[in-house]
PDB file of all heavy atoms in Angstrom:
ATOM      1  N   ARG S 326       5.144  21.361   5.010  1.00 98.00           N
ATOM      2  CA  ARG S 326       4.624  21.467   3.650  1.00 98.00           C
ATOM      3  C   ARG S 326       4.812  22.869   3.086  1.00 98.00           C
ATOM      4  O   ARG S 326       5.074  23.040   1.892  1.00 98.00           O
ATOM      5  CB  ARG S 326       3.153  21.064   3.629  1.00 98.00           C
ATOM      6  CG  ARG S 326       2.960  19.577   3.844  1.00 98.00           C
ATOM      7  CD  ARG S 326       1.503  19.183   3.837  1.00 98.00           C
ATOM      8  NE  ARG S 326       1.392  17.729   3.936  1.00 98.00           N
ATOM      9  CZ  ARG S 326       0.231  17.081   4.042  1.00 98.00           C
ATOM     10  NH1 ARG S 326      -0.900  17.759   4.060  1.00 98.00           N
ATOM     11  NH2 ARG S 326       0.213  15.764   4.127  1.00 98.00           N
ATOM     12  N   ASP S 327       4.712  23.869   3.944  1.00 98.00           N
ATOM     13  CA  ASP S 327       4.956  25.241   3.487  1.00 98.00           C
ATOM     14  C   ASP S 327       6.418  25.432   3.090  1.00 98.00           C
ATOM     15  O   ASP S 327       6.717  26.092   2.086  1.00 98.00           O
ATOM     16  CB  ASP S 327       4.570  26.238   4.587  1.00 98.00           C
ATOM     17  CG  ASP S 327       3.064  26.352   4.781  1.00 98.00           C
ATOM     18  OD1 ASP S 327       2.322  25.988   3.840  1.00 98.00           O
ATOM     19  OD2 ASP S 327       2.633  26.788   5.862  1.00 98.00           O
ATOM     20  N   PHE S 328       7.333  24.871   3.884  1.00 98.00           N
ATOM     21  CA  PHE S 328       8.750  24.952   3.526  1.00 98.00           C
ATOM     22  C   PHE S 328       9.013  24.232   2.199  1.00 98.00           C
ATOM     23  O   PHE S 328       9.751  24.726   1.344  1.00 98.00           O
ATOM     24  CB  PHE S 328       9.618  24.340   4.628  1.00 98.00           C
ATOM     25  CG  PHE S 328      10.067  25.319   5.674  1.00 98.00           C
ATOM     26  CD1 PHE S 328       9.481  25.322   6.922  1.00 98.00           C
ATOM     27  CD2 PHE S 328      11.082  26.234   5.409  1.00 98.00           C
ATOM     28  CE1 PHE S 328       9.893  26.223   7.903  1.00 98.00           C
ATOM     29  CE2 PHE S 328      11.504  27.136   6.376  1.00 98.00           C
ATOM     30  CZ  PHE S 328      10.904  27.129   7.633  1.00 98.00           C
ATOM     31  N   PHE S 329       8.410  23.066   2.029  1.00 98.00           N
ATOM     32  CA  PHE S 329       8.663  22.302   0.811  1.00 98.00           C
ATOM     33  C   PHE S 329       8.069  22.997  -0.411  1.00 98.00           C
ATOM     34  O   PHE S 329       8.656  22.970  -1.500  1.00 98.00           O
ATOM     35  CB  PHE S 329       8.117  20.883   0.943  1.00 98.00           C
ATOM     36  CG  PHE S 329       8.491  19.992  -0.213  1.00 98.00           C
ATOM     37  CD1 PHE S 329       9.815  19.808  -0.571  1.00 98.00           C
ATOM     38  CD2 PHE S 329       7.514  19.344  -0.956  1.00 98.00           C
ATOM     39  CE1 PHE S 329      10.162  18.992  -1.645  1.00 98.00           C
ATOM     40  CE2 PHE S 329       7.851  18.532  -2.022  1.00 98.00           C
ATOM     41  CZ  PHE S 329       9.174  18.359  -2.370  1.00 98.00           C
ATOM     42  N   ALA S 330       6.910  23.633  -0.236  1.00 97.00           N
ATOM     43  CA  ALA S 330       6.322  24.390  -1.349  1.00 97.00           C
ATOM     44  C   ALA S 330       7.278  25.495  -1.791  1.00 97.00           C
ATOM     45  O   ALA S 330       7.465  25.726  -2.998  1.00 97.00           O
ATOM     46  CB  ALA S 330       4.977  24.975  -0.928  1.00 97.00           C
ATOM     47  N   TRP S 331       7.873  26.177  -0.847  1.00 98.00           N
ATOM     48  CA  TRP S 331       8.873  27.205  -1.162  1.00 98.00           C
ATOM     49  C   TRP S 331      10.055  26.584  -1.895  1.00 98.00           C
ATOM     50  O   TRP S 331      10.503  27.095  -2.934  1.00 98.00           O
ATOM     51  CB  TRP S 331       9.299  27.883   0.125  1.00 98.00           C
ATOM     52  CG  TRP S 331      10.507  28.775   0.049  1.00 98.00           C
ATOM     53  CD1 TRP S 331      11.098  29.307  -1.071  1.00 98.00           C
ATOM     54  CD2 TRP S 331      11.276  29.255   1.157  1.00 98.00           C
ATOM     55  NE1 TRP S 331      12.199  30.071  -0.732  1.00 98.00           N
ATOM     56  CE2 TRP S 331      12.324  30.055   0.638  1.00 98.00           C
ATOM     57  CE3 TRP S 331      11.182  29.078   2.536  1.00 98.00           C
ATOM     58  CZ2 TRP S 331      13.265  30.664   1.469  1.00 98.00           C
ATOM     59  CZ3 TRP S 331      12.113  29.694   3.357  1.00 98.00           C
ATOM     60  CH2 TRP S 331      13.150  30.483   2.816  1.00 98.00           C
ATOM     61  N   ALA S 332      10.549  25.465  -1.378  1.00 98.00           N
ATOM     62  CA  ALA S 332      11.710  24.818  -1.997  1.00 98.00           C
ATOM     63  C   ALA S 332      11.434  24.413  -3.434  1.00 98.00           C
ATOM     64  O   ALA S 332      12.325  24.462  -4.291  1.00 98.00           O
ATOM     65  CB  ALA S 332      12.127  23.596  -1.180  1.00 98.00           C
ATOM     66  N   GLN S 333      10.208  24.017  -3.729  1.00 97.00           N
ATOM     67  CA  GLN S 333       9.861  23.624  -5.091  1.00 97.00           C
ATOM     68  C   GLN S 333       9.797  24.815  -6.048  1.00 97.00           C
ATOM     69  O   GLN S 333      10.025  24.667  -7.236  1.00 97.00           O
ATOM     70  CB  GLN S 333       8.516  22.895  -5.089  1.00 97.00           C
ATOM     71  CG  GLN S 333       8.587  21.496  -4.481  1.00 97.00           C
ATOM     72  CD  GLN S 333       7.213  20.860  -4.452  1.00 97.00           C
ATOM     73  OE1 GLN S 333       6.284  21.371  -3.844  1.00 97.00           O
ATOM     74  NE2 GLN S 333       7.078  19.746  -5.130  1.00 97.00           N
ATOM     75  N   GLU S 334       9.492  25.982  -5.500  1.00 96.00           N
ATOM     76  CA  GLU S 334       9.309  27.169  -6.342  1.00 96.00           C
ATOM     77  C   GLU S 334      10.602  27.948  -6.590  1.00 96.00           C
ATOM     78  O   GLU S 334      10.709  28.653  -7.598  1.00 96.00           O
ATOM     79  CB  GLU S 334       8.306  28.116  -5.668  1.00 96.00           C
ATOM     80  CG  GLU S 334       6.908  27.556  -5.533  1.00 96.00           C
ATOM     81  CD  GLU S 334       6.048  28.364  -4.583  1.00 96.00           C
ATOM     82  OE1 GLU S 334       6.561  29.346  -4.000  1.00 96.00           O
ATOM     83  OE2 GLU S 334       4.868  28.013  -4.426  1.00 96.00           O
ATOM     84  N   ASP S 335      11.559  27.836  -5.687  1.00 98.00           N
ATOM     85  CA  ASP S 335      12.722  28.715  -5.673  1.00 98.00           C
ATOM     86  C   ASP S 335      13.969  27.956  -6.125  1.00 98.00           C
ATOM     87  O   ASP S 335      14.464  27.082  -5.411  1.00 98.00           O
ATOM     88  CB  ASP S 335      12.916  29.254  -4.251  1.00 98.00           C
ATOM     89  CG  ASP S 335      14.004  30.311  -4.141  1.00 98.00           C
ATOM     90  OD1 ASP S 335      14.820  30.441  -5.081  1.00 98.00           O
ATOM     91  OD2 ASP S 335      14.049  31.000  -3.102  1.00 98.00           O
ATOM     92  N   GLU S 336      14.506  28.295  -7.277  1.00 97.00           N
ATOM     93  CA  GLU S 336      15.630  27.550  -7.832  1.00 97.00           C
ATOM     94  C   GLU S 336      16.951  27.796  -7.109  1.00 97.00           C
ATOM     95  O   GLU S 336      17.931  27.099  -7.370  1.00 97.00           O
ATOM     96  CB  GLU S 336      15.776  27.874  -9.323  1.00 97.00           C
ATOM     97  CG  GLU S 336      14.628  27.334 -10.158  1.00 97.00           C
ATOM     98  CD  GLU S 336      14.848  27.500 -11.642  1.00 97.00           C
ATOM     99  OE1 GLU S 336      15.813  28.204 -12.035  1.00 97.00           O
ATOM    100  OE2 GLU S 336      14.056  26.927 -12.415  1.00 97.00           O
ATOM    101  N   ARG S 337      16.983  28.753  -6.192  1.00 98.00           N
ATOM    102  CA  ARG S 337      18.192  28.944  -5.388  1.00 98.00           C
ATOM    103  C   ARG S 337      18.229  27.967  -4.217  1.00 98.00           C
ATOM    104  O   ARG S 337      19.247  27.834  -3.542  1.00 98.00           O
ATOM    105  CB  ARG S 337      18.299  30.380  -4.882  1.00 98.00           C
ATOM    106  CG  ARG S 337      18.438  31.398  -5.998  1.00 98.00           C
ATOM    107  CD  ARG S 337      19.188  32.635  -5.599  1.00 98.00           C
ATOM    108  NE  ARG S 337      20.639  32.443  -5.633  1.00 98.00           N
ATOM    109  CZ  ARG S 337      21.517  33.440  -5.778  1.00 98.00           C
ATOM    110  NH1 ARG S 337      21.091  34.685  -5.901  1.00 98.00           N
ATOM    111  NH2 ARG S 337      22.805  33.197  -5.788  1.00 98.00           N
ATOM    112  N   VAL S 338      17.129  27.285  -3.966  1.00 98.00           N
ATOM    113  CA  VAL S 338      17.074  26.288  -2.894  1.00 98.00           C
ATOM    114  C   VAL S 338      17.528  24.942  -3.444  1.00 98.00           C
ATOM    115  O   VAL S 338      16.906  24.396  -4.360  1.00 98.00           O
ATOM    116  CB  VAL S 338      15.656  26.159  -2.308  1.00 98.00           C
ATOM    117  CG1 VAL S 338      15.632  25.089  -1.219  1.00 98.00           C
ATOM    118  CG2 VAL S 338      15.177  27.497  -1.761  1.00 98.00           C
ATOM    119  N   THR S 339      18.622  24.416  -2.895  1.00 98.00           N
ATOM    120  CA  THR S 339      19.128  23.122  -3.351  1.00 98.00           C
ATOM    121  C   THR S 339      18.961  22.018  -2.317  1.00 98.00           C
ATOM    122  O   THR S 339      19.246  20.861  -2.599  1.00 98.00           O
ATOM    123  CB  THR S 339      20.609  23.217  -3.746  1.00 98.00           C
ATOM    124  OG1 THR S 339      21.362  23.783  -2.662  1.00 98.00           O
ATOM    125  CG2 THR S 339      20.781  24.078  -4.987  1.00 98.00           C
ATOM    126  N   GLY S 340      18.505  22.370  -1.103  1.00 98.00           N
ATOM    127  CA  GLY S 340      18.352  21.326  -0.109  1.00 98.00           C
ATOM    128  C   GLY S 340      17.530  21.754   1.085  1.00 98.00           C
ATOM    129  O   GLY S 340      17.257  22.947   1.304  1.00 98.00           O
ATOM    130  N   LEU S 341      17.134  20.754   1.873  1.00 98.00           N
ATOM    131  CA  LEU S 341      16.420  20.947   3.130  1.00 98.00           C
ATOM    132  C   LEU S 341      17.206  20.234   4.224  1.00 98.00           C
ATOM    133  O   LEU S 341      17.625  19.088   4.046  1.00 98.00           O
ATOM    134  CB  LEU S 341      15.011  20.382   3.042  1.00 98.00           C
ATOM    135  CG  LEU S 341      14.066  21.101   2.074  1.00 98.00           C
ATOM    136  CD1 LEU S 341      13.069  20.124   1.469  1.00 98.00           C
ATOM    137  CD2 LEU S 341      13.331  22.218   2.782  1.00 98.00           C
ATOM    138  N   ALA S 342      17.378  20.912   5.359  1.00 98.00           N
ATOM    139  CA  ALA S 342      18.158  20.350   6.467  1.00 98.00           C
ATOM    140  C   ALA S 342      17.395  20.536   7.772  1.00 98.00           C
ATOM    141  O   ALA S 342      17.736  21.392   8.594  1.00 98.00           O
ATOM    142  CB  ALA S 342      19.532  21.011   6.540  1.00 98.00           C
ATOM    143  N   PRO S 343      16.340  19.763   7.999  1.00 98.00           N
ATOM    144  CA  PRO S 343      15.513  19.952   9.202  1.00 98.00           C
ATOM    145  C   PRO S 343      16.305  19.692  10.493  1.00 98.00           C
ATOM    146  O   PRO S 343      17.177  18.827  10.544  1.00 98.00           O
ATOM    147  CB  PRO S 343      14.407  18.904   9.035  1.00 98.00           C
ATOM    148  CG  PRO S 343      14.443  18.515   7.595  1.00 98.00           C
ATOM    149  CD  PRO S 343      15.840  18.680   7.133  1.00 98.00           C
ATOM    150  N   TRP S 344      15.924  20.417  11.527  1.00 97.00           N
ATOM    151  CA  TRP S 344      16.461  20.228  12.875  1.00 97.00           C
ATOM    152  C   TRP S 344      15.300  19.865  13.783  1.00 97.00           C
ATOM    153  O   TRP S 344      14.379  20.648  13.924  1.00 97.00           O
ATOM    154  CB  TRP S 344      17.102  21.529  13.376  1.00 97.00           C
ATOM    155  CG  TRP S 344      17.772  21.401  14.711  1.00 97.00           C
ATOM    156  CD1 TRP S 344      19.036  20.973  14.968  1.00 97.00           C
ATOM    157  CD2 TRP S 344      17.194  21.734  15.989  1.00 97.00           C
ATOM    158  NE1 TRP S 344      19.281  21.009  16.324  1.00 97.00           N
ATOM    159  CE2 TRP S 344      18.166  21.473  16.969  1.00 97.00           C
ATOM    160  CE3 TRP S 344      15.949  22.223  16.405  1.00 97.00           C
ATOM    161  CZ2 TRP S 344      17.944  21.679  18.336  1.00 97.00           C
ATOM    162  CZ3 TRP S 344      15.708  22.427  17.753  1.00 97.00           C
ATOM    163  CH2 TRP S 344      16.699  22.153  18.700  1.00 97.00           C
ATOM    164  N   HIS S 345      15.277  18.644  14.314  1.00 97.00           N
ATOM    165  CA  HIS S 345      16.305  17.610  14.397  1.00 97.00           C
ATOM    166  C   HIS S 345      15.660  16.251  14.289  1.00 97.00           C
ATOM    167  O   HIS S 345      14.455  16.100  14.532  1.00 97.00           O
ATOM    168  CB  HIS S 345      17.085  17.710  15.713  1.00 97.00           C
ATOM    169  CG  HIS S 345      16.191  17.801  16.944  1.00 97.00           C
ATOM    170  ND1 HIS S 345      15.823  16.694  17.679  1.00 97.00           N
ATOM    171  CD2 HIS S 345      15.575  18.854  17.533  1.00 97.00           C
ATOM    172  CE1 HIS S 345      15.052  17.079  18.699  1.00 97.00           C
ATOM    173  NE2 HIS S 345      14.888  18.395  18.619  1.00 97.00           N
ATOM    174  N   TRP S 346      16.457  15.242  13.976  1.00 98.00           N
ATOM    175  CA  TRP S 346      15.975  13.876  13.811  1.00 98.00           C
ATOM    176  C   TRP S 346      15.773  13.176  15.144  1.00 98.00           C
ATOM    177  O   TRP S 346      14.748  12.554  15.390  1.00 98.00           O
ATOM    178  CB  TRP S 346      16.956  13.073  12.965  1.00 98.00           C
ATOM    179  CG  TRP S 346      16.597  11.624  12.820  1.00 98.00           C
ATOM    180  CD1 TRP S 346      17.047  10.574  13.572  1.00 98.00           C
ATOM    181  CD2 TRP S 346      15.677  11.066  11.870  1.00 98.00           C
ATOM    182  NE1 TRP S 346      16.476   9.390  13.156  1.00 98.00           N
ATOM    183  CE2 TRP S 346      15.635   9.664  12.114  1.00 98.00           C
ATOM    184  CE3 TRP S 346      14.905  11.605  10.846  1.00 98.00           C
ATOM    185  CZ2 TRP S 346      14.840   8.809  11.357  1.00 98.00           C
ATOM    186  CZ3 TRP S 346      14.108  10.750  10.090  1.00 98.00           C
ATOM    187  CH2 TRP S 346      14.082   9.366  10.352  1.00 98.00           C
ATOM    188  N   ASP S 347      16.780  13.201  16.006  1.00 97.00           N
ATOM    189  CA  ASP S 347      16.780  12.432  17.250  1.00 97.00           C
ATOM    190  C   ASP S 347      15.937  13.105  18.321  1.00 97.00           C
ATOM    191  O   ASP S 347      15.693  14.300  18.298  1.00 97.00           O
ATOM    192  CB  ASP S 347      18.212  12.281  17.770  1.00 97.00           C
ATOM    193  CG  ASP S 347      18.886  13.638  17.966  1.00 97.00           C
ATOM    194  OD1 ASP S 347      19.006  14.387  16.966  1.00 97.00           O
ATOM    195  OD2 ASP S 347      19.264  13.964  19.109  1.00 97.00           O
ATOM    196  N   SER S 348      15.490  12.295  19.301  1.00 97.00           N
ATOM    197  CA  SER S 348      14.830  12.839  20.483  1.00 97.00           C
ATOM    198  C   SER S 348      15.855  12.992  21.601  1.00 97.00           C
ATOM    199  O   SER S 348      16.782  12.194  21.724  1.00 97.00           O
ATOM    200  CB  SER S 348      13.687  11.919  20.933  1.00 97.00           C
ATOM    201  OG  SER S 348      12.640  11.938  19.982  1.00 97.00           O
ATOM    202  N   ARG S 349      15.673  14.029  22.423  1.00 95.00           N
ATOM    203  CA  ARG S 349      16.662  14.385  23.427  1.00 95.00           C
ATOM    204  C   ARG S 349      15.987  14.604  24.779  1.00 95.00           C
ATOM    205  O   ARG S 349      14.761  14.747  24.861  1.00 95.00           O
ATOM    206  CB  ARG S 349      17.408  15.659  22.990  1.00 95.00           C
ATOM    207  CG  ARG S 349      17.986  15.529  21.600  1.00 95.00           C
ATOM    208  CD  ARG S 349      18.578  16.810  21.044  1.00 95.00           C
ATOM    209  NE  ARG S 349      18.967  16.623  19.643  1.00 95.00           N
ATOM    210  CZ  ARG S 349      19.565  17.534  18.892  1.00 95.00           C
ATOM    211  NH1 ARG S 349      19.861  18.720  19.403  1.00 95.00           N
ATOM    212  NH2 ARG S 349      19.872  17.273  17.636  1.00 95.00           N
ATOM    213  N   GLY S 350      16.786  14.647  25.825  1.00 92.00           N
ATOM    214  CA  GLY S 350      16.242  14.934  27.140  1.00 92.00           C
ATOM    215  C   GLY S 350      15.777  16.369  27.233  1.00 92.00           C
ATOM    216  O   GLY S 350      16.305  17.256  26.554  1.00 92.00           O
ATOM    217  N   VAL S 351      14.790  16.618  28.095  1.00 90.00           N
ATOM    218  CA  VAL S 351      14.278  17.976  28.237  1.00 90.00           C
ATOM    219  C   VAL S 351      15.341  18.913  28.803  1.00 90.00           C
ATOM    220  O   VAL S 351      15.229  20.139  28.684  1.00 90.00           O
ATOM    221  CB  VAL S 351      13.034  18.004  29.141  1.00 90.00           C
ATOM    222  CG1 VAL S 351      11.881  17.282  28.471  1.00 90.00           C
ATOM    223  CG2 VAL S 351      13.333  17.384  30.506  1.00 90.00           C
ATOM    224  N   ASP S 352      16.371  18.334  29.411  1.00 90.00           N
ATOM    225  CA  ASP S 352      17.454  19.156  29.951  1.00 90.00           C
ATOM    226  C   ASP S 352      18.510  19.499  28.908  1.00 90.00           C
ATOM    227  O   ASP S 352      19.448  20.244  29.188  1.00 90.00           O
ATOM    228  CB  ASP S 352      18.133  18.421  31.111  1.00 90.00           C
ATOM    229  CG  ASP S 352      18.746  17.080  30.687  1.00 90.00           C
ATOM    230  OD1 ASP S 352      18.177  16.432  29.784  1.00 90.00           O
ATOM    231  OD2 ASP S 352      19.775  16.695  31.255  1.00 90.00           O
TER     232      ASP S 352
END
Side-chain angles (χ1 to χ4, degrees):
R326 289 179 175 175
D327 288 339
F328 269 105
F329 187 56
W331 168 17
Q333 288 177 300
E334 296 166 358
D335 187 345
E336 292 187 350
R337 297 208 81 156
V338 179
T339 53
L341 293 148
W344 184 85
H345 50 94
W346 176 265
D347 56 300
S348 292
R349 307 173 187 183
V351 293
D352 60 327

